Amino acid sequence: MTGKQKLELTWIGKEKRPKLEPRILLEEPEKSYHAKHRVTDGDIFDNRLIFGDNLLALKALENEFSGKVKCVFIDPPYNTGSAFAQYDDGLEHSIWLGLMRDRLELIRRLLSDEGSLWITIDDNEAFYLKVLCDEVFGRSNFVSSIVWAKRVSPANDARYFSSDHDFVLVYAKNKPLWKPNRLPRTEGQNSYYKNPDNDSRGPWNSVTYTGNKTREERPNLYYPIVNPNTGEQVFPPETLTWRYGKDTHAENEKKNLLYWGKDGKSKVPRLKMFLENAEPVVPRTIWPASEAGSTQSAMTEQKVLFATPFATPKPEALLQRILHIASKEGDIVLDSFAGSGTTGVVAHKMGRRWIMVELGEHCQTHIIPRIKKVIDGEDKGGISEAVGWKGGGGFRYYKLAPSLIVNDRWGNPVINPDYNAAMLAEALAKLEGFIYAPSETRWWQHGHSSERDFLFVTTQNLSAEQLRALADEVGTARSLLVCCSAFRGVTAAQAAERWPNLTLKKIPKMVLARCEWGHDDYSLNVANLPLAQPGQAEPAAMGENLKKTRARTAALAHAGQGGLFEEEA
């Protein structure tokens, strides 16, 4: 065995990565919606609902939101076979894994250092997804695999087992920095606190007074204590010690924190813990439907809202628990598989800022009318009563802009004629890593990357005289990237020598090789994937059956070789 090796998940076409175009977002004000007046001072109006392919949308958010999102929740297609029935199993997994990998990498960049990702998934891909997330986020940033009991009654028509749970995989961007919030105590948990001895400090529960060390390991914790009711001197069991040292024990006695049983004659005391001092609860890894909702309760919520409920909704209680643990008021929450909009609804009611992305028609039929009801205070279901929701806030509706580069009738790449000057400037700012911020006073300032570095975009053909005048106005203390259709009367080398504060680039040549232009759909639905291009090599391991389907899926355009799980040099 030679060279360095690593254990990794491999699949057909893993080495192929899309060159995503960072699209701009276009607001459609007629679909944006805001409350008519403020309900509270904490109302949030700048939430975002984005209609379009979620991979392109994540890329579109990268410049503005990298490192700013506190919590990402996604409920991706579970890959149960229904969308991939016509393909061999290996290709099915490869399509799903490749498309998920591309999304996870963008999500990781969007997360803040204190942020976390939560993914609901079932048995079909949970364990592949776990290894994939280990690669993208680092195995050390895996936090937990939560079991959510999604069913309240068994599926008696199941052939083998009733599938009663889903998994929720939890990853931190940087685990040492991630600080989950504890859960509030429930009435059931508080019911264990009683007051059998009428202690004036109120209800209490008791915990063991013995530790898990042996006498040999911690001899200082093995000592006699006196039962004040009997005067008897007692020791911990031979294989254990007391949990506390002598000084702490003396303090516990002084504060009357020891409980010696109903008759006061117990051989081992217990320590009183009072309800008034009880801390919030550490989240556990099994979430029963009674605490986190179920698919049944989710469907009940849907039936109240819609004549045609969404097929696979998640209950509001599940999202409430996740967002409580992973965020606080004012934090940004992202869901790029929005479905019926439950994440945004719950985030809105909990005072979080939210971004949702959805490509399906239910963006119009389910999400928008549902969020409007929340904003207008008409949604009384889900968690509304628990959080005291009265309405308020709003959202802005965006769609992805069309591709910046299209072919003209002769097949030459040109700037999309649907782009106006402002759209073009914003698009090039995003492509060049600038913040799009047109100045109201400087006509040449369309964006900036620092306090002294600026961007100017024009479709004009600039002359040497115009460039000289521009350089003079910019001044020697600033630098300017000039994106123009062409420049005349001077070469690029001459321009760099004459005007060192200007950098010249030609449109569209400057961006042609950067992206996959005109690719609008990277969705997880195979039926939506574009046709493969002719002349691309088939993978050596491809069977005849698989070859016949090549023209029907873009996955084979990402052809490669390799097993699903192996060691590679």
Side-chain angles (χ1 to χ4, degrees), residues 384-405:
S384 293
E385 184 178 345
V387 300
W389 181 250
K390 304 297 183 183
F395 70 91
R396 299 186 184 278
Y397 178 94
Y398 294 87
K399 66 178 181 180
L400 289 168
S403 183
L404 174 64
I405 305 296

Side-chain angles (χ1 to χ4, degrees), residues 75 298-299 309-314 340:
D75 180 25
M299 191 56 69
F310 188 71
T312 56
K314 293 296 184 286
S340 66

Side-chain angles (χ1 to χ4, degrees), residues 21 50 156 167 214 272 276 289 295 338 352 424 461 536 565:
E21 176 187 357
I50 302 170
N156 290 321
F167 295 102
T214 65
K272 288 183 176 182
E276 65 177 7
T295 53
R352 274 67 168 165
L424 176 60
N461 184 337
Q536 291 170 312
F565 192 80

Side-chain angles (χ1 to χ4, degrees), residues 474-519:
V474 170
T476 58
R478 295 187 289 255
S479 58
L480 182 68
L481 171 60
V482 180
C483 305
C484 58
S485 295
F487 46 90
R488 64 184 186 276
V490 63
T491 66
Q494 290 171 336
E497 184 177 350
R498 290 185 191 178
W499 308 298
N501 58 345
L502 301 185
T503 300
L504 306 184
K505 291 186 178 183
K506 290 183 179 180
I507 306 170
K509 182 180 178 181
M510 59 183 285
V511 297
L512 287 183
R514 295 194 189 178
C515 308
E516 297 172 354
W517 306 104
H519 196 157

Side-chain angles (χ1 to χ4, degrees), residues 7-8 74 78 83 122 124 184 190 208 255 264 274 280 288 329 352 402 404 434 438 450 479 504 519 558 564:
L7 190 67
E8 67 174 330
I74 57 174
Y78 282 8
D122 70 358
N124 286 285
N190 290 343
T208 181
K255 295 177 182 177
F274 291 91
E329 289 188 2
R352 274 67 168 165
L404 174 64
F434 283 73
S450 69
S479 58
L504 306 184
H519 196 157
H558 296 176
L564 285 175

Side-chain angles (χ1 to χ4, degrees), residues 85-270:
Q86 67 271 44
Y87 300 103
D88 287 3
D89 184 68
L91 177 60
E92 169 191 331
H93 285 287
S94 294
I95 296 170
W96 193 88
L97 288 167
L99 294 173
M100 284 301 299
R101 185 271 313 275
D102 298 335
R103 287 157 173 78
L104 290 170
E105 289 179 340
L106 280 167
I107 285 170
R108 186 181 182 278
R109 292 199 283 273
L110 291 170
L111 279 171
S112 68
D113 287 340
E114 302 82 20
S116 59
L117 166 66
W118 303 66
I119 313 175
T120 49
I121 198 71
D122 70 358
D123 288 326
N124 286 285
E125 293 289 3
F127 309 105
Y128 288 98
L129 182 60
K130 166 66 169 66
V131 181
L132 176 59
C133 287
D134 284 347
E135 275 194 39
V136 175
F137 281 82
R139 192 170 181 178
S140 62
N141 288 315
F142 172 68
V143 177
S144 186
S145 175
I146 295 165
V147 175
W148 168 47
K150 64 180 181 180
R151 297 183 66 97
V152 293
S153 59
N156 290 321
D157 59 347
R159 183 175 180 183
Y160 300 112
F161 292 89
S162 173
S163 180
D164 294 345
H165 73 278
D166 279 352
F167 295 102
V168 183
L169 298 182
V170 186
Y171 279 81
K173 172 76 172 287
N174 189 334
K175 192 174 177 180
L177 299 180
W178 187 61
K179 295 179 174 61
N181 300 313
R182 295 193 173 193
L183 295 169
R185 303 187 63 83
T186 66
E187 291 184 8
Q189 290 162 339
N190 290 343
S191 68
Y192 292 104
Y193 287 74
K194 309 292 184 182
N195 197 356
D197 60 352
N198 294 315
D199 194 304
S200 60
R201 291 167 288 188
W204 53 269
N205 200 352
S206 64
V207 296
T208 181
Y209 209 66
T210 54
N212 57 5
K213 302 296 183 182
T214 65
R215 183 177 181 178
E216 288 72 24
E217 291 175 307
R218 298 294 300 274
N220 63 310
L221 297 180
Y222 193 88
Y223 56 88
I225 63 177
V226 176
N227 182 331
N229 303 306
T230 64
E232 180 183 4
Q233 197 177 61
V234 298
F235 286 85
E238 279 291 330
T239 57
L240 301 174
T241 59
W242 300 124
R243 186 177 293 272
Y244 308 98
K246 292 181 178 180
D247 291 343
T248 303
H249 169 70
E251 282 294 313
N252 291 338
E253 283 191 316
K254 183 178 179 181
K255 295 177 182 177
N256 192 26
L257 294 178
L258 272 60
Y259 178 63
W260 292 90
K262 290 182 179 180
D263 61 359
K265 299 180 180 180
S266 176
K267 296 295 183 182
V268 176
R270 292 180 65 84

Side-chain angles (χ1 to χ4, degrees), residues 20 27-28 46 68 111 142 149 159 179 184 204 252 255 266 275-276 287 322 347 358 364 410 414 454 547 556 560:
L20 297 174
E27 184 179 359
E28 293 190 357
D46 61 347
K68 297 180 180 179
L111 279 171
F142 172 68
R159 183 175 180 183
K179 295 179 174 61
W204 53 269
N252 291 338
K255 295 177 182 177
S266 176
L275 179 58
E276 65 177 7
W287 291 4
I322 289 172
E358 183 52 57
Q364 320 300 328
W410 298 282
V414 296
F454 301 97
K547 290 181 181 179
L556 294 182

